[in-house]
Amino acid sequence: MNVRNYCKLEIMSLPENISFARACVGAFASQLGCTLDEIDEIKLVVSEAVSNSIIHAYQNRGTELITIVITLLDGQTLEIIVEDYGKGIEDVARVLQPSYSSEPSRMGLGFSFMKSFMDELEVISQPGEGTSVQMRRSFVSKDKEAYA
Amino acid sequence: MELEMRQVRNILIVRIEGEMDMLRADQIREDIDKKLDNSEIRNLILNLEKVTFIDSSGLGMILGRYKKLNSKNGRMYIAGARPQVEKILYFSGINKLITMYRNEQDVINLQGR
C-alpha cells in the first residue's frame, strides 16, 4: 500500500502525555473524513496502547520513551504503531485473551478495545527489549457511504 | 479538571469533568476514597454528564469504587453519561453491575422513596 501521509511522535512515558498522544492521532485521523464516533474509537485505542506501555512495559517509570507512528495508506486505511522499549511480553497470546489483566484496576479491556475498534491488531514483543502494537483500520468515506 | 463532591442525605454525589484516563482516574480514585473512608456514606452517584472520554483506566476506577461500596453493603449509580461514554460503559459490561440513570436527580428521587 502506498503511503499518503505519515507522522511520528515520540513522548516520555508520563500519564500527562496520554491525552496529548490520543489528541494528535485523532487530529491526524480526521483527514480521513471519518465520523466523530470513529475518531473517538481511534483515540480510545491509542489511549489503551500508550497506557499499557506506561503501566506494563515501564512499570510507571516516567523517564522512558514511547514512539507513535501514524500512517495514512491508500484505500482510506489508517495504521497506528505504538512502540516501547520496556520489559516486553513473555506470552503475547495469553495477554490477548479477553479480560486478561495483570492490573485489576484497569479491567483487562485494553486489547479488547483494540481488537474491537480496529480491523487488524498485531502485537510483536521481545522480552527485555520492548513491544510494538500495530493496528490498522480502513474507513469508508462519508461520500461513498451516501452512494452505497 | 474539576471534581465536585457534595453530600445529599447518605449519598455522595461526584460530578466529574473532562477525560477519564489513567492520569485522571488515579486522582479521582484518591479523592473519592478519602471521602468514603472518612465518613459513614454508603451510596455513591457518579455524575458523568461532563465526561467527554473514558478508557479502561477510568472504567477500572469505577469498578473499584463499586467493589468497595458493595463490600460495605452500599450502592453505586452512574448518572448522565453521554452517548460516547455510555457506549464504552456498555462495552465493558459495567452497566450489568451499576444501574445507569439519565441524571443524578432521578437517583436522588429514587433513594428518597
Side-chain angles (χ1 to χ4, degrees), chain A residues 51-66:
Chain A
S51 298
N52 274 350
S53 292
I54 294 175
I55 298 168
H56 301 294
Y58 294 132
Q59 296 171 297
N60 294 306
R61 290 192 310 276
T63 50
E64 312 290 334
L65 290 175
I66 299 166

Side-chain angles (χ1 to χ4, degrees), chain B residues 19-61:
Chain B
E19 302 186 314
M20 284 175 74
D21 63 4
M22 182 185 160
L23 179 69
R24 282 285 285 153
D26 287 345
Q27 294 162 349
I28 297 166
R29 178 185 295 115
E30 262 179 44
D31 289 349
I32 293 177
D33 283 359
K34 205 184 290 174
K35 192 83 179 172
L36 290 177
D37 293 343
N38 294 317
S39 70
E40 293 301 309
I41 300 170
R42 295 284 176 269
N43 301 302
L44 172 66
I45 301 173
L46 279 189
N47 183 333
L48 305 185
E49 272 170 33
K50 293 184 178 169
V51 172
T52 54
F53 175 87
I54 189 165
D55 67 9
S56 63
S57 298
L59 295 168
M61 186 284 293

Side-chain angles (χ1 to χ4, degrees), chain A residues 4 7 9 12 14 26 32 39 45 57 64 67-68 73 79 83 85 92 99-100 108 112-113 115-116 119 123 132 140:
Chain A
R4 287 170 50 200
C7 171
L9 182 68
M12 276 179 77
L14 290 165
L32 280 160
I39 291 186
V45 301
E64 312 290 334
T67 308
I68 300 141
L73 299 158
E79 182 183 74
E83 271 179 344
Y85 314 96
V92 172
S99 290
Y100 168 84
S112 297
F113 283 132
K115 274 192 267 189
S116 298
D119 297 332
V123 181
S132 173
V140 178

Side-chain angles (χ1 to χ4, degrees), chain B residues 5-13 35 39-41:
Chain B
M5 290 201 263
R6 69 185 180 110
Q7 191 177 340
V8 175
R9 298 191 300 272
N10 64 342
I11 312 168
L12 176 66
I13 301 168
K35 192 83 179 172
S39 70
E40 293 301 309
I41 300 170

